[in-house]
Amino acid sequence: MNPLLDRLQPYPFERLRALTAGITPNPALAPISLGIGEPRHAAPALIEEAIKGAMKGLSGYPATAGTPALREAITGWIARRYGLSLDPATQILPVNGSREALFAIAQTVVDASRAGATVVCPNPFYQIYEGAALLAGADVAFANSDPARNFAVDWRQIDEATWARTQLIYVCSPGNPSGAVMPLSEWQALFELSDRHGFVIASDECYSEIYFRDEAPLGGLEAAARLGRSDFKNLIAFTSLSKRSNVPGLRSGFVAGDAALLKKFLLYRTYHGSAMSPLVQAASLAAWGDEAHVVENRARYRRKFAEVTPLLASALDLALPDAGFYLWAGVPGGDDVAFAKGLLAQYNLAVLPGSLLARSAHGVNPGAGRIRLALVAEEAECLEAARRIVSFTKSLA
């Protein structure tokens, strides 16, 4: 067996199941889960119709690079969303969801034969980043979130010696779990570090279309263009339809950016067997070409957060995020695991302890004392969950 598999840590939900294995939730209340970030709004009808109309495509092998029509639809969306003009032939690749691509990019760019090969990622973080780095043979360096800046990542925690060993950095903006969006000044700092040390920036932007301000979140490619980096050197952005279009089961997204990197990434993916099904390509083409369902979806999240956030803020330490569908809440007493276990036992409500989303780094676990609440269910269920949390915190007082 590959010995690197032994370096992998259990997924947060596996750890939570083990921690709560002996708990019997209150049977008098219907179960509610705010733990998993899985969109539960209905998928758009246009996507279902596109799949039905593409059945004949199953009789042939799809190309790993996707159809020209799909790549052009993606570049069209990028042009409308970010005002950028990309080459669909060299700067775009469709992928089977951003998750598999985020994993695969580390296998493509990390050279484990170089001493001290390092991948930098935010903390708390999406655990795929760590697993991808470890299975590529690299070490992981963590940059903790900063509570003083709405839990944005403090990249200054990575010292110069570590940057010198870094081959890849994962950026998540809007962030998971905090929803923080990186400003242009921080992008500029990362680009300067990348130029100095040669590392690749993987920008995970899967929450980019769910936001609460008037201005849409700044994307990595957009930031590069504003700074005169129109070749997107050492930068790849990862975007998904899962959250934008409520189709996590479709497994569809794309990567875009540095043409030289994408050429090598395509080579890797050709051998890895990463071609997207013709049915998924047809559905994706329809989804990227339609914005009406996205606007409606965003409005639903805005209404939900407007109702739930003030109610929860009366009991927990939290604020409306910049974007995404999570609330990152501080719990009374500071023990996130105990809070989650008590909430499950007494109110049959599942939440994710923040410490399970993070690693101890720089002397602290930056997720400790907080819980992640995924407001993905219908508004009534989220409001009921909020009322249960308020009741539970009152009982602790």
Side-chain angles (χ1 to χ4, degrees), residues 186-263:
E186 290 188 22
W187 279 111
Q188 182 171 12
L190 288 185
F191 292 147
E192 290 172 355
L193 285 164
S194 174
D195 288 344
R196 189 152 68 243
H197 301 293
F199 59 73
V200 172
I201 301 173
S203 179
D204 181 356
E205 302 175 10
C206 69
Y207 298 97
S208 67
E209 304 312 292
I210 301 171
Y211 52 88
F212 306 99
R213 319 296 184 208
D214 291 335
E215 185 178 0
L218 177 70
L221 299 179
E222 182 184 17
R226 289 189 188 181
L227 295 168
R229 304 173 65 88
S230 56
D231 60 351
F232 309 120
K233 180 182 177 182
N234 281 337
L235 172 64
I236 302 180
F238 297 70
T239 304
S240 168
L241 287 172
S242 294
K243 282 79 174 176
R244 173 190 182 271
S245 299
N246 296 315
V247 283
L250 190 66
R251 309 313 306 137
S252 176
F254 69 81
V255 297
D258 185 332
L261 285 174
L262 289 186
K263 183 178 181 179

Side-chain angles (χ1 to χ4, degrees), residues 248-274:
L250 190 66
R251 309 313 306 137
S252 176
F254 69 81
V255 297
D258 185 332
L261 285 174
L262 289 186
K263 183 178 181 179
K264 293 291 188 181
F265 197 31
L266 174 59
L267 173 64
Y268 171 88
R269 297 178 65 74
T270 301
Y271 278 84
H272 192 71
S274 303

